[in-house]
Structure formats: C-alpha cells, structure tokens
Amino acid sequence: MDIRKQIGLNIQRIRREKGWSQEQLAFEAGLHRTYVSGVERGVRNPTVLIVQQLADALAVPPDRLLRAKISANE
Amino acid sequence: MDIRKQIGLNIQRIRREKGWSQEQLAFEAGLHRTYVSGVERGVRNPTVLIVQQLADALAVPPDRLLRAKISANE
C-alpha cells in the first residue's frame, strides 16, 4: 500500500480510538485541520518532522504511524 | 532523539550491515548521493515517499527506518 495511504489510515484509526476529532488532533499537533484531513486521506506527502508532530500529539512512537496494520493498543 | 537523526542512524546502520556504499544506496533508491549523505547526517527532512524509496532499496519495511534502536536482522 502507498505509504501515504497507510499513514492516513493509521492516524485516523488511532485518532478515532482516542475519540478525537480532526480539529482536536490538528490543534494538539500544531497543524491546520485541512492539512490533517489531507494526510488522513493519503493525499499529502508529509515530512518526517510532521510525522513526529502527529505521533507526539497521538502519544505513539513515530514508527507506528508508518506500520502496516496497527491499532492504538498494540 | 530528533527523528531526522534517528532515521539517519538507522539508514546508515542497515546500509553498512549490507556492506553498501552511500553511492550504492543512492543508486538503488534513485536518489542523489549527496542527498543520501544529508539524510544519514540527519540534516535533511525527507518526506514519507523518500523514506519509502530508501526502505524499499534497503529491503526493510519503512517503519523500521523511524524506529529507535534497530538493527537490520531484527
């Protein structure tokens, strides 16, 4: 799977498991909501620093956002 | 550790364990050698597509390049 799609699915899954809106994740990560929406839809190509910001906001290690088939409590 | 430094250390370690030069990794990944050198030194901020290209060239899953403390045979 395209890594951008994989990251989008992982972020969306973890965000939903936390019960967060995209707005809340964007606020926590210091990003714009439309950018987070684009990342979750797999249409953005984020840098590793952005991946780090999202991972920190979601309180998961950054490599988990790139992993194929994960869930938050893994 | 800054994720750019972590990725650089991981790529360098796996490349060396494969006995590859930076030139060879750059060729396999379709990137310029100086860019690979910059990524390994942690001074570049690669996108996830670039991380995917490097991971494919090194034959490891992309999330491994972001992981803290890894080795190729893990």
Side-chain angles (χ1 to χ4, degrees):
Chain A
M1 176 187 296
D2 179 315
I3 194 166
R4 294 167 296 183
K5 291 265 185 294
Q6 184 64 67
I7 285 178
L9 288 175
N10 291 345
I11 290 171
Q12 186 179 65
R13 187 182 297 122
I14 297 172
R15 174 177 63 76
R16 284 179 174 166
E17 285 172 351
K18 290 175 83 74
W20 284 7
S21 64
Q22 281 184 345
E23 197 91 44
Q24 192 166 355
L25 174 54
F27 173 75
E28 297 289 341
L31 299 168
H32 198 279
R33 192 197 64 73
T34 53
Y35 183 81
V36 169
S37 164
V39 171
E40 287 196 358
R41 285 179 289 116
V43 298
R44 293 285 180 168
N45 182 22
T47 66
V48 292
L49 283 178
I50 294 290
V51 170
Q52 174 91 67
Q53 278 175 244
L54 288 161
D56 289 349
L58 292 166
V60 295
D63 61 290
R64 187 167 301 165
L65 297 188
L66 272 68
R67 213 173 296 164
K69 283 190 218 73
I70 55 105
S71 78
N73 41 31
E74 213 203 277
Chain B
M1 178 189 294
D2 179 316
I3 193 165
R4 294 166 296 183
K5 291 264 186 292
Q6 184 65 69
I7 285 178
L9 289 175
N10 291 345
I11 289 170
Q12 185 179 65
R13 187 181 300 125
I14 297 171
R15 174 177 63 76
R16 286 180 173 165
E17 284 173 353
K18 291 174 82 76
W20 285 6
S21 65
Q22 283 183 343
E23 197 92 41
Q24 194 167 353
L25 173 54
F27 173 75
E28 297 288 343
L31 298 168
H32 198 279
R33 192 198 64 73
T34 54
Y35 183 81
V36 169
S37 165
V39 171
E40 287 196 359
R41 284 181 290 116
V43 298
R44 293 284 182 170
N45 181 21
T47 66
V48 291
L49 282 178
I50 294 290
V51 170
Q52 174 92 67
Q53 279 175 243
L54 289 161
D56 290 349
L58 292 166
V60 296
D63 62 291
R64 187 166 301 164
L65 296 188
L66 273 69
R67 212 174 298 164
K69 284 189 220 71
I70 55 105
S71 80
N73 39 36
E74 212 203 273

